[in-house]
Amino acid sequence: MGPLTCEQAVQQFFSYLDRALADEPLQDLEAHLDACLDCCDKLGFSRQLDTFFKERLPNSPMPTALETRIRDALRRD
Amino acid sequence: MSSSPPEVQKDARQRFEALALPHLGYLYRLAVKLKGRAQDAEDLVQETYIRALRAFATLRDPARIRPWLCQILSRLVLDQHRAGPREVAVGDMAEIDRFSLYDLIEQEDPFPYSDSLHRDFLAQFGDDEVRRALLTLPEVYRVPLVLLYVEDLSYRELAYLLGCPVGTIMSRLYRARKTLERELWACAKQRGIVRD
């Protein structure tokens, strides 16, 4: 396969960030990134978005009564 | 639980509790991330433990109980979605696949004097808005994305956990992120950060 176009490179970004690319597809993308600053910026933004969402996933402390509730449910089952 | 004598059932339940309950906090935190509301998370975790106890005899490696519980919980979320009225309704797939928040921010240029335009755009959103966007994702997209973020699993591990091909995981993770980009853009339009 010849060099990647920007459109083809962008479609690989998430797989790249998730470490799901290997061998030739990985080499092709890295070769494209070495030569294309615009795609490097776009990849940086994709990485930034992942961190942005990951850090904002809902979170709340476990209610203290939950373990008792689960134990009771298991005994009733 | 089963037709076994009561003392056998009690013994199995006690072994299950000793193995499984130390992971309750982890499962609850995962459930909150998947469901959003604390009450829904509690119900999900309870159902997970009941299902797990019923299937306890099928657990081959006790050391793998945490991923096993995680699998039961994740599949329950997906099954609840399949049983419910909410279908995958995120719009035209081709349009979503092409969507680029990066390009739209650059074209619209909402902060002309900014040196970090894209970062400044993201800084406009509060935690609640972002969480709402995450919860608008259909479960088939939200579950693998949350598991990826929380557990840092490979596509192969996610495929095994959720019982679908690796290619399906790859396309769902792609669409999950593109849908989130589109939700942020819609929110920015609604709030007047960018032109409608």
Side-chain angles (χ1 to χ4, degrees):
Chain A
M1 210 171 105
L4 294 183
T5 63
C6 290
E7 194 179 342
Q8 289 169 326
V10 166
Q11 282 171 357
Q12 305 284 324
F13 281 177
F14 297 134
S15 299
Y16 179 73
L17 292 174
D18 299 338
R19 302 182 308 279
L21 286 186
D23 306 327
E24 203 180 327
L26 177 62
Q27 287 161 15
D28 289 347
L29 180 62
E30 288 181 337
H32 182 88
L33 290 169
D34 280 344
C36 182
L37 279 179
D38 198 30
C39 278
C40 284
D41 287 346
K42 288 183 180 180
L43 176 65
F45 183 62
S46 294
R47 187 178 279 127
Q48 204 178 328
L49 269 178
D50 265 348
T51 307
F52 177 78
F53 283 113
K54 189 175 172 176
E55 287 175 349
R56 284 162 182 78
L57 286 173
N59 209 349
S60 67
M62 189 180 88
T64 48
L66 184 59
E67 182 168 337
T68 308
R69 174 182 163 178
I70 302 286
R71 283 185 189 277
D72 289 346
L74 293 175
R75 274 183 199 117
R76 281 197 307 271
D77 191 56
Chain B
M1 190 169 81
S2 75
S3 55
S4 309
E7 64 276 15
V8 176
Q9 284 182 31
K10 187 180 172 191
D11 183 49
R13 194 189 70 235
Q14 284 174 341
R15 278 189 293 115
F16 172 76
E17 287 181 358
L19 261 180
L21 284 175
H23 303 287
L24 180 58
Y26 159 79
L27 280 185
Y28 176 76
R29 286 189 295 278
L30 178 61
V32 168
K33 287 173 172 54
L34 287 168
K35 300 295 282 185
R37 288 181 52 224
Q39 186 57 54
D40 293 341
E42 286 184 43
D43 294 344
L44 174 63
V45 170
Q46 178 173 323
E47 187 59 24
T48 300
Y49 272 88
I50 288 173
R51 298 278 181 108
L53 175 59
R54 289 176 190 162
F56 188 42
T58 67
L59 175 66
R60 276 172 288 183
D61 180 2
R64 301 272 309 154
I65 189 148
R66 196 174 102 162
W68 184 67
L69 291 167
C70 176
Q71 182 180 52
I72 293 171
L73 184 142
S74 304
R75 290 191 181 189
L76 262 174
V77 177
L78 293 174
D79 290 346
Q80 286 167 355
H81 161 66
R82 272 193 279 270
R86 192 159 158 251
E87 281 305 315
V88 179
V90 292
D92 178 4
M93 292 299 178
E95 182 248 312
I96 286 165
D97 289 351
R98 283 193 309 270
F99 192 89
S100 170
L101 183 61
Y102 182 96
D103 289 345
L104 283 169
I105 295 170
E106 200 159 80
Q107 286 157 23
E108 185 75 17
D109 196 8
F111 313 110
Y113 300 107
S114 170
D115 290 331
S116 51
L117 177 61
H118 295 83
R119 190 181 298 273
D120 289 348
F121 176 86
L122 293 183
Q124 304 302 309
F125 300 97
D127 289 356
D128 286 348
E129 285 169 314
V130 179
R131 285 174 186 160
R132 267 199 299 277
L134 283 160
L135 288 173
T136 61
L137 281 181
E139 286 79 354
V140 288
Y141 296 156
R142 192 177 345 126
V143 171
L145 188 69
V146 168
L147 288 172
L148 179 84
Y149 283 165
V150 173
E151 290 289 305
D152 197 24
L153 299 175
S154 69
Y155 287 3
R156 193 180 294 273
E157 288 168 321
L158 282 169
Y160 175 74
L161 196 80
L162 300 178
C164 59
V166 170
T168 304
I169 292 295
M170 192 182 295
S171 66
R172 285 181 181 171
L173 287 172
Y174 185 93
R175 290 199 171 128
R177 282 138 149 170
K178 286 291 162 188
T179 307
L180 284 176
E181 288 188 21
R182 199 184 59 173
E183 287 299 320
L184 274 192
W185 188 249
C187 185
K189 285 204 287 193
Q190 208 172 23
R191 287 194 28 212
I193 297 168
V194 294
R195 279 173 298 180
D196 197 356

